[in-house]
Structures are given as C-alpha cells and as structure tokens.
Amino acid sequence: MSVAPLAGPVAAGGEPTRGHVALRDVHLRFESGRQSIDAVQGFDLEVRPGEFVSLIGPSGCGKSTLLNVVAGFIAPTAGAALVDGEPIRGPGADRGMVFQQYSLFPWKTVRQNVEFGFKMKGVGRARREEAARTLLGIAGLLAFENHYPDQLSGGMRQRVGIVRALATSPRVLLLDEPFGALDAQTRAVMQQILTNMWQKLRISVLFVTHDIEEAIFLSDRIYVMTARPGRLKMMLPVPLPRPRDPAMTSSPQFMALRRTVSDLIREESLKAMGMELGDGLLDGLSIDARGKDLAAML
Amino acid sequence: MSTATVLKLHGAAGTGQAAPAREGAAPAAPLPGPLPASRAAEAPARPWAALLARGPSGRAMALGVLSIAAFLVAWHLASTYRLDAFIRFINVPGPLVVLDRLAHALDNPSFVQNVLISLRRIMLGFCLAALVGVPLGLVMGRFRVVRECVFPLSEALRPIPAIAWVPMSIMLWPTTEASIVFITFLGSFFPILVNTLHGMHALDGVLVRAARCLGASERQLFLEVYLPGTLPQIFTGLTVGMGVAWVSLIAAEMISGQFGIGYFTWEAYSLIQYADIVLGMVCIGVLGLLSSAVIRMIGGLVMPWARGSAVQEGR
Ligand SMILES: Nc1ncnc2c1ncn2[C@@H]1O[C@H](COP(=O)(O)OP(=O)(O)O)[C@@H](O)[C@H]1O
Ligand SMILES: [Mg+2]
C-alpha cells in the first residue's frame, strides 16, 4: 500500500526533520472601511520539528489570526511566515487544520470525510478507502465509518476532524480551540487522545487555546500573548516529563506553572477590559493591572 | 378533484419568482383544505412531500375524503341542474362525464400527442434552465466579479413574468417551438439561479477553508464543496422552477396556439368539447404533481445525508 496513513515526517527512528514553523516580526492590521485594527504587532514564534507549542492569551488577542497566517488564509501585513524555510503562500495539504466549529462535510460520511485529503491528491478509490478505514480503526471510529456527521456527538466529530487533518501526513497540525465546545469530561479524553497521537506521529503542532491547564498538559512550550494588539507576553517551556497523564495536573510543578500562566493571562485580560484601577487595589491578585471597577472584575 | 389545488400550487410557485425565492417561502402558502393548519406550517418547501411522507392521521384522512366528496357532489348537482346564479354551470360537464372522458383519454390520439409535445418542451426548457442556472449560480457565488456583472442584469429581468415574454419570444426565435421552450426556460431559470446563489451565501465558510487545508484545488472545491453544499437550496430552486415552468408553458401554449396540453385545453373550449377542458386541466395537474415528485425523488437519491438526519446514534 503506497498510502501510508499516519506516517509522520520522521525518518525511521530518528528525530523529525520537517515541520519547522517560524513567524518573524509578524504584524497584522485589518482595514475595514475607515477603521483599521492592529490585531498583532511584531510577533515572533517558532515551532521546531515535532514540537507541541501552544498559543494562549485573552480573547481577541489575535490567536486565530496568527493560526490563519500559518494556515495560509491571511498574509501578514509585515514580517515573514515560513514553514521549513519557505514563505507561506496559501493554504495547502502540508499544514492540517482543525477548527473550533465543526467542519466535517455534512454531505460525506465519516469515512468519506477522512478520505477527502487522499481524494484531493488523486489517490484511487480502493486505496483511499483502505487508508481511511485503517485510520478510523486506530482512532476507534471504524464502527461509525458510514455515519453522517449529524449522527455523531461533538467529541466524535472533533476526533474525526483530527483524523481527517492528519490523514495525509501534514508536516504541521494547526488546532484552533478544537475542544472549546466540548464538556469537561470529553475534553479531558480528547486531550489524552491528542497527546497520544502526537507522541506516535512526532508531528509539529501549533495549538490555540484559552484553557491554561490544557495548554500546560499538552505542550512543550507555551506562548502567552498580550491583549490586543497581540504581542508576545512570555514564552514558557513546560518541563513536565512525557508521556503525560491526568494525575500530573495536581503535581506541584504543574500547579506552579498554572499559577504563572494564569497570572499573566489575568493581567492581560484586565488590560483587555480596559480598566484603570488605582495601585494597591489589586495587591491580593499579585498583578499590576490598573482598572476602576474591581467588583465587576472579580 | 384536486386539479384546482394543484393549479393553485403552480400559481403560488410563480410568486416565488417575483420575491427573492427563499427556502420554503414559495409553495408553502396555498395548501389545500384537507391539511390541518399546524401541518401546513411545519411543511416548508415541499407540502406534498410532507403530506405523502407523514401519512395523515385518521381524522385528517376522513376530513380530506369528506371535503373532496362534498366538492364532487356539489359539482355534480350544479351541472346536473344547470346552476345559473352568477356562476354558470350551464355548459360545465359533470364529474361523471369527465370521468368517462378520463377513462378513455388514452384512446384520444390528439390528447396523447399534445401531452407528449408538452412533456418534451418541459424537459428541454427545464433541463436547459438547470444546466445554465446551477453552474451560473455557483460561479456567481464564488467570484465576486461575476456576481457584480450578472446580478444587476438578472435582477432587472427577473420581475418580468415569463408569460410577458411570449410576443417578444415569438419575434426572437425562428420557430414557435423554440420560443415556447425559451419561455419555459425563462420561467424556471430565475428560481433555480436565485436559490443556488442563496445556497452559496448560506454555505459555511469553514467548510471551504477545511477543504483548502486538505489540498482542494479550485475545480475540486466546486465539485466537492460548493455543489454538494448547496444541493438542498438547488433542489428547492428546482422544485419551484418546475412549478413556474409548467405555468409558463401552459400559458405560452394557450397563447401561441401550437400544440401541447395547454393548447389542447384551450382548443377544447373553441371546439365546444367541454369535457376535454377538464381533461386538460386534470392532466396538467397530474403532470405537475408527477414532475415535482420526480425532482423530490432525485433529491432524495443525491442527498442521502439529508434523509435520516433525525436518526441519532453514537454517544
Ligand atoms: N477579518 C477581520 N477583519 C477585521 N478585524 C478582524 C478580522 N479578523 C480578526 N479581527 C480582529 O482581530 C482581533 C484578533 O482576532 P482573533 O485572532 O480572532 O482573536 P482570538 O485571539 O480570540 O482568536 C480581534 O479584535 C478581531 O476583532
Ligand atoms: Mg479565536
């Protein structure tokens, strides 16, 4: 079978060599009529081959925008966006994407959805069917191969979405708050599934979330963004050992990281709310944001 | 007899042309009597589908049979006693005469000939309209420039009913046959175009982005995303378009006087073959009903995902 499903960009046994993402001094400005919005200013980001990187920040800070730059849907106003040293020129199958909204084709069955990437490459029916079934088997979805997306739960749809994005072995997987619409239990299961898959594939992942624990649990490194216009607030490595399991979330190391990230985010969220508070009022929060309406904030 | 209601259905479909044909907007209004009001509200674009698929309850069935029977009896009495009170039944044949005529319709070579001619015109006009309207709607939805070029022209021509094109059409086309097909084409073209365009607007952009991330080329986007994604609205357009096609065809045939079932019906009046008038009417109704049933059937075949969507499985 020449279609090798879930074959990551790894030379057998060695370290992954492809899937390097670099954003260099990226600016993004949206012009809408008379208004212009600076969404992102001077952002630098790097995802090394096989690395799992999260992008976290307050709502509206430009996370989706940056992901769309890497996906090739938006060209940066200034700066460079590169994958493996090549400038990004548009969307392509080398970068798989999973969206927050359900994005399975409702007119295709689960298997046909997974086959889509192969079909676009011109892989013959029999071979892509076989490849899709193999993948669905790995993901535990084979029993649902002939279901239509409408017949699936939210968690299953996102699982199919991830399998579909991974099917044709992209170099980079981009995920935009993929579990945002799921309940807490499903979300935890999905996180575990994603880490397991990633560990097998050693594919580069850029993961957007606003869930702090999710970012820590999944990532090698976390980029925390400032409120709009989005800039780099801080880059944090996550030195937790792998493989990770949910028990780690109560380890002191995890708690400390969580504390750090949540302080950074809270600071930015308050800024995003545009508040001006006198010094001292926020002492208990150990942050230096300024705002007026403490009650509303807490 | 349900002839009157079927004609009304077509008439209402005609209004779907003037107003921007939204899903469900067009044929929902003129539901026939036997259908309870609550059901009428539930059945959007395809009242007959709902009527046939759900199977009426015992009460609805009884009331339906009763009202049709009452109509037939009233008609029978009015024509037997030659009712003449503002409405004149003096020349109107009774249901028994018409029934006899219907039973022997296939022995009537002129009738069969005219039906076949009308069917051919509908096939040609409607299929041409679908072949032009659907791709044009897709391309207009995809490319802004095309939309900006075509939309104003289409909006200017759309309010003109196809029937108003009859004289112009006879001047434009070398044969009457071509001009009648053209009018049928015009009647179904705009509902198909407008609904396809509406489908393109309603298509979720994330599906397009997902496809592009999976390596879809522009051509593949059309075949794999735009077309299947707009099929529900396309079929709404086809259903409405088929209704308007019949209205336009019958009118064109009556005016131009060149064969067809519309011509047959009109001619029956001139020839004092009053039973044939009703025969023609019933035939037009049945053909209209059958042609929308065919479209519905094709729709079900090409949109299997929309069929059992109420079925919930998995966890
Ligand atoms: N196409 C657009 N036109 C104008 N403004 C936009 C557009 N896309 C995003 N923005 C603005 O850019 C900012 C960042 O948006 P986004 O990247 O979606 O934020 P988030 O971090 O929540 O994903 C927001 O303020 C948003 O309003
Ligand atoms: Mg977002």
Side-chain angles (χ1 to χ4, degrees):
Chain A
M1 195 177 80
S2 62
V3 182
L6 291 187
V10 194
E15 284 295 299
T17 53
R18 299 196 310 159
H20 183 271
V21 179
L23 298 180
R24 304 223 190 287
D25 196 24
V26 162
H27 289 254
L28 274 145
R29 168 175 292 177
F30 290 110
E31 313 273 358
S32 48
R34 294 171 282 115
Q35 261 188 334
S36 77
I37 298 167
D38 281 305
V40 176
Q41 273 182 350
F43 202 87
D44 285 289
L45 174 143
E46 187 165 19
V47 184
R48 300 185 202 109
E51 196 181 24
F52 198 121
V53 169
S54 282
L55 202 53
I56 193 167
S59 164
C61 71
K63 304 183 290 294
S64 298
T65 304
L66 281 175
L67 211 61
N68 281 325
V69 167
V70 180
F73 292 120
I74 310 175
T77 316
L82 312 163
V83 169
D84 291 331
E86 298 273 329
I88 294 165
R89 293 195 200 289
D94 57 328
R95 284 147 290 143
M97 185 142 177
V98 180
F99 302 84
Q100 173 167 16
Q101 317 94 296
Y102 299 129
S103 62
L104 298 182
F105 305 115
W107 53 86
K108 289 185 180 286
T109 62
V110 165
R111 195 191 63 222
Q112 289 168 338
N113 264 283
V114 174
E115 280 177 37
F116 194 88
F118 294 121
K119 194 174 181 184
M120 297 305 101
K121 281 186 169 173
V123 177
R125 176 187 290 265
R127 272 165 55 201
R128 64 176 193 251
E129 246 181 60
E130 191 187 340
R133 300 185 90 243
T134 309
L135 289 167
L136 287 168
I138 293 169
L141 289 163
L142 195 54
F144 300 92
E145 62 168 334
N146 292 319
H147 283 56
Y148 285 99
D150 276 357
Q151 299 171 297
L152 303 181
S153 68
M156 284 170 69
R157 285 188 218 182
Q158 284 309 61
R159 242 153 86 203
V160 177
I162 293 172
V163 173
R164 182 179 70 175
L166 288 172
T168 50
S169 315
R171 286 183 256 174
V172 184
L173 183 64
L174 310 169
L175 303 101
D176 192 354
E177 305 193 29
F179 311 142
L182 305 179
D183 60 78
Q185 278 80 14
T186 313
R187 184 180 256 255
V189 173
M190 295 294 293
Q191 289 166 1
Q192 193 68 55
I193 291 174
L194 181 61
T195 35
N196 293 348
M197 277 179 138
W198 169 78
Q199 202 117 36
K200 279 204 201 101
L201 298 174
R202 310 300 314 278
I203 187 178
S204 312
V205 174
L206 183 54
F207 187 90
V208 162
T209 181
H210 60 247
D211 183 319
I212 295 163
E213 297 200 10
E214 183 168 85
I216 301 171
F217 182 72
L218 294 171
S219 312
D220 294 322
R221 289 185 301 127
I222 301 175
Y223 284 79
V224 182
M225 290 180 74
T226 67
R228 202 181 78 199
R231 272 184 285 245
L232 180 60
K233 174 91 173 170
M234 192 176 281
M235 195 280 287
L236 290 149
V238 181
L240 297 171
R242 293 195 187 262
R244 294 182 184 160
D245 65 81
M248 284 178 179
T249 52
S250 47
S251 73
Q253 212 178 1
F254 191 98
M255 305 279 258
L257 266 169
R258 202 184 74 165
R259 171 97 194 152
T260 312
V261 179
S262 77
D263 283 351
L264 290 168
I265 302 250
R266 192 159 25 174
E267 208 174 292
E268 288 305 318
S269 300
L270 291 178
K271 267 192 215 159
M273 288 184 227
M275 290 174 176
E276 293 275 321
L277 257 188
D279 285 325
L281 279 175
L282 294 174
D283 281 354
L285 295 168
S286 66
I287 49 176
D288 64 0
R290 293 146 202 261
K292 256 179 203 135
D293 191 355
L294 190 62
M297 197 171 76
L298 303 173
Chain B
M1 203 48 236
S2 66
T3 321
T5 54
V6 174
L7 280 174
K8 259 172 110 186
L9 182 68
H10 286 162
T15 60
Q17 186 198 20
R22 289 243 180 86
E23 215 176 344
L31 273 173
L35 211 73
S38 62
R39 283 208 174 189
E42 282 168 40
R46 302 161 185 173
W48 292 104
L51 186 64
L52 296 175
R54 288 182 202 181
S57 72
R59 198 191 65 161
M61 186 99 88
L63 286 176
V65 170
L66 209 67
S67 89
I68 291 173
F71 172 74
L72 289 174
V73 168
W75 175 16
H76 177 72
L77 291 177
S79 59
T80 307
Y81 295 101
R82 299 183 163 254
L83 177 74
D84 186 3
F86 191 62
I87 299 181
R88 297 164 299 140
F89 272 74
I90 296 165
N91 288 321
V92 174
L96 295 174
V97 181
V98 171
L99 195 66
D100 181 63
R101 199 77 187 145
L102 281 174
H104 297 100
L106 294 183
D107 301 335
N108 183 343
S110 144
F111 171 77
V112 174
Q113 178 76 15
N114 283 312
V115 167
L116 292 177
I117 289 174
S118 287
L119 282 177
R120 199 186 60 201
R121 289 169 176 165
I122 277 283
M123 281 296 288
L124 276 173
F126 177 80
C127 291
L128 277 175
L131 282 177
V132 179
V134 170
L136 184 60
L138 294 179
V139 171
M140 280 170 74
R142 170 65 184 85
F143 300 107
R144 202 196 178 119
V145 194
V146 181
R147 188 163 64 244
E148 284 167 351
C149 283
V150 180
F151 196 66
L153 179 63
S154 116
E155 286 301 283
L157 295 179
R158 198 157 65 92
I160 304 171
I163 303 161
W165 276 89
V166 171
M168 176 62 74
S169 178
I170 291 171
M171 286 197 297
L172 280 174
W173 295 89
T175 64
T176 316
E177 195 59 27
S179 65
I180 293 177
V181 169
F182 176 67
I183 285 156
T184 313
F185 165 87
L186 274 184
S188 41
F189 175 72
F190 287 110
I192 293 172
L193 178 70
V194 167
N195 277 285
T196 306
L197 200 53
H198 170 60
M200 286 295 280
H201 283 306
L203 186 67
D204 193 347
V206 77
L207 298 178
V208 178
R209 281 188 288 145
R212 294 180 69 196
C213 274
L214 291 163
S217 66
E218 195 64 52
R219 195 183 71 87
Q220 287 168 323
L221 275 182
F222 271 93
L223 291 178
E224 300 286 342
V225 181
Y226 296 136
L227 182 61
T230 50
L231 274 183
Q233 289 88 349
I234 288 176
F235 270 87
T236 302
L238 292 178
T239 310
V240 176
M242 182 55 97
V244 186
W246 274 106
V247 174
S248 315
L249 173 73
I250 299 302
E253 286 175 346
M254 285 184 169
I255 296 170
S256 69
Q258 286 272 5
F259 310 113
I261 188 66
Y263 164 78
F264 174 87
T265 307
W266 186 255
E267 197 65 357
Y269 175 72
S270 322
L271 298 177
I272 330 178
Q273 295 285 336
Y274 296 135
D276 278 347
I277 296 181
V278 187
L279 173 62
M281 288 168 66
V282 171
C283 174
I284 293 164
V286 168
L287 290 178
L289 205 57
L290 286 180
S291 50
S292 50
V294 166
I295 293 177
R296 210 166 49 240
M297 207 185 65
I298 297 173
L301 285 177
V302 300
M303 296 186 288
W305 69 91
R307 232 185 277 148
S309 57
V311 187
Q312 285 293 323
E313 288 178 63
R315 285 154 300 275

